[in-house]
């Protein structure tokens, strides 16, 4: 008897992310993914109609897992600056355990090749932005952050810092500790948040 559908789909996604981390998205074939899971290639197509659908599903899975990991920082009663700092640390730890994510985010497949993949990434980025904007706004209202900050712009710059760090990590083949970068990133960014 085969594994439950959701279990098998998750195995396939995790294998796809592992292979993408090693080979890049373009060279990640369904056969390589199937071999990593220890199943026949046809089993992948019982769960996903295409390779594009599989990677769109992988992005959805990563997005939901990331938001679950960050939820305590959005819903906690701790001060906004403490929560935002923890969120940055948690996000880098999460990505350090999912090396396929930056390979997907910085691939041509995302930017020009797979509309479904791009739409899923855009949706996740919008959802993430909305939650972090709320956190920044709360910090402004409670005096933890500078009242002159524009929450939307502040979040865009935070995302750019994180994405730039992930790009560097990916380009250098993950040869430095991503989690160790959380402290200097936060130290730099938090200075811009401080009330004047």
């Amino acid at each position: 008897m085969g594994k439950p559908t959701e279990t098998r789909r998750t195995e396939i996604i995790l294998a796809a992310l592992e292979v993408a981390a090693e080979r890049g998205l373009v060279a990640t074939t369904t056969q390589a993914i199937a071999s990593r899971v220890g199943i026949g290639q046809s089993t992948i197509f019982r769960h996903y109609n295409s390779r594009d659908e599989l990677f769109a599903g992988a992005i959805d899975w990563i997005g939901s897992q990331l938001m679950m990991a960050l939820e305590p920082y959005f819903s906690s009663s701790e001060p906004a600056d403490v929560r935002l700092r923890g969120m940055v640390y948690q996000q880098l730890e999460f990505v350090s355990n999912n090396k396929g994510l930056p390979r997907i985010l910085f691939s041509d497949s995302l930017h020009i090749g797979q509309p479904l993949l791009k739409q899923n990434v855009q949706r996740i980025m919008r959802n993430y932005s909305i939650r972090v904007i709320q956190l920044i706004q709360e910090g402004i209202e409670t005096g933890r952050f500078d009242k002159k900050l524009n929450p939307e712009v502040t979040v865009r710059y935070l995302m750019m810092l994180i994405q730039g760090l992930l790009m560097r990590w990916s380009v250098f083949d993950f040869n430095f500790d991503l989690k160790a970068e959380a402290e200097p990133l936060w130290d730099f960014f938090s200075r811009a948040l401080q009330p004047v």
Side-chain angles (χ1 to χ4, degrees):
M1 183 172 183
K3 292 185 178 182
T5 299
E6 282 311 306
T7 302
R8 182 62 81 195
R9 286 173 67 91
T10 300
E11 285 179 346
I12 292 167
I13 284 169
L14 291 173
L17 292 170
E18 287 174 8
V19 176
E22 294 166 9
R23 301 181 183 187
L25 192 58
V26 172
T28 299
T29 64
T30 53
Q31 182 57 59
I33 296 165
S35 297
R36 182 67 55 100
V37 178
I39 57 176
Q41 188 176 13
S42 62
T43 302
I44 289 178
F45 293 111
R46 280 200 288 272
H47 294 280
Y48 298 97
N49 292 323
S50 67
R51 181 179 173 279
D52 289 357
E53 184 181 291
L54 164 57
F55 278 104
I59 286 295
D60 281 343
W61 182 86
I62 282 179
S64 67
Q65 296 297 307
L66 175 61
M67 293 308 283
M68 273 195 299
L70 298 181
E71 182 58 37
Y73 302 99
F74 297 132
S75 59
S76 167
S77 60
E78 288 189 289
D81 56 327
V82 173
R83 290 159 50 205
L84 187 60
R85 179 182 185 271
M87 191 203 78
V88 167
Y89 279 69
Q90 181 63 44
Q91 188 170 347
L92 294 182
E93 181 173 348
F94 178 87
V95 176
S96 74
N97 295 321
N98 292 282
K99 292 179 175 142
L101 178 59
R103 296 288 200 219
I104 294 170
L105 290 179
F106 304 121
S107 70
D108 278 350
S109 296
L110 171 66
H111 296 272
I112 57 175
Q114 296 182 19
L116 181 60
L117 188 60
K118 182 184 268 189
Q119 290 167 8
N120 286 6
V121 170
Q122 289 172 345
R123 180 178 39 77
I124 291 164
M125 289 175 75
R126 280 192 298 271
N127 292 341
Y128 170 90
S129 294
I130 288 166
R131 299 299 301 275
V132 183
I133 286 168
Q134 292 168 347
L135 184 53
I136 298 288
Q137 187 63 47
E138 181 185 325
I140 292 168
E141 291 168 3
T142 58
R144 304 298 282 205
F145 301 146
D146 187 342
K147 66 182 178 184
K148 295 178 188 167
L149 288 173
N150 177 315
E152 289 90 4
V153 171
T154 303
V155 171
R156 277 201 306 268
Y157 278 96
L158 176 61
M159 291 173 70
M160 284 188 274
L161 279 173
I162 292 171
Q163 290 166 1
L165 175 60
L166 298 184
M167 169 71 89
R168 190 173 131 246
W169 187 56
S170 179
V171 165
F172 283 91
D173 293 322
F174 316 117
N175 73 351
F176 61 88
D177 183 359
L178 184 63
K179 292 182 285 187
E181 297 292 318
E183 186 62 35
L185 187 151
W186 175 251
D187 183 58
F188 176 79
F189 187 71
S190 65
R191 293 169 198 264
L193 301 174
Q194 293 171 1
V196 177

